[in-house]
Amino acid sequence: MRKAPDPTLISDTAGFLKALRHQHVWIGYPTPGEMERMSGPGVLPRTTTRRIIDGDALPVDPQQAVAFLKACYVMDETELGLWLAAAVRSFRNDPTRSKNIGKWVKTHQVMIQETESKDLATVTTLHSKEENKAA
């Protein structure tokens, strides 16, 4: 695989799981134990990680999905937001997953708000620096 998976192309749960697995391959196959250590105790158990890597299970909640992605070096909040949007799209159309869609939607919305707040703070800081230079 030459490029990282593009979460904007994901539309169903099979595609979401496949993209998670491709992300794991793309960054070099960290072991489930390494991924568990990167995520902290209890967040991403190595058994769950192994099941995701093997294609046998999806993350049970958005926190687990984010932990898996961060352990696969997806650190940028904007990119994580794209992955959560993909999960929401995928799970919304899956009868077994759609009943828990609320927590996925909420986590995605919070991430978007945090990203926008940071972007606004950066722009404000840059604008203040430019004003100070001009003065």
Side-chain angles (χ1 to χ4, degrees), residues 24-132:
H24 176 257
V25 170
W26 188 76
I27 58 96
Y29 298 100
T31 68
E34 291 169 334
M35 294 174 75
E36 181 181 43
R37 284 188 294 283
M38 288 177 73
S39 302
V43 178
L44 187 65
R46 73 182 63 200
T47 54
T48 302
T49 304
R50 169 62 53 210
R51 292 179 66 221
I52 294 169
I53 292 167
D54 288 346
D56 296 331
L58 285 159
V60 296
D61 58 35
Q63 289 71 28
Q64 198 173 71
V66 169
F68 184 91
L69 289 161
K70 285 184 174 182
C72 289
Y73 299 97
V74 178
M75 302 292 186
D76 179 73
E77 287 180 2
T78 302
E79 193 173 350
L80 286 168
L82 293 174
W83 280 93
L84 286 174
V88 168
R89 274 193 313 279
S90 301
F91 298 163
R92 190 168 271 143
N93 298 321
D94 183 328
T96 59
R97 292 258 173 192
S98 62
K99 62 182 182 248
N100 295 323
I101 195 76
K103 60 185 167 183
W104 290 87
V105 170
K106 184 175 181 179
T107 302
H108 179 240
Q109 290 171 339
V110 167
M111 188 164 286
I112 289 171
Q113 290 169 349
E114 288 174 357
T115 302
E116 288 173 351
S117 295
K118 287 180 182 177
D119 290 347
L120 180 60
T122 301
V123 168
T124 303
T125 301
L126 292 173
H127 183 69
S128 296
K129 286 180 180 179
E130 290 299 317
E131 284 181 344
N132 289 339

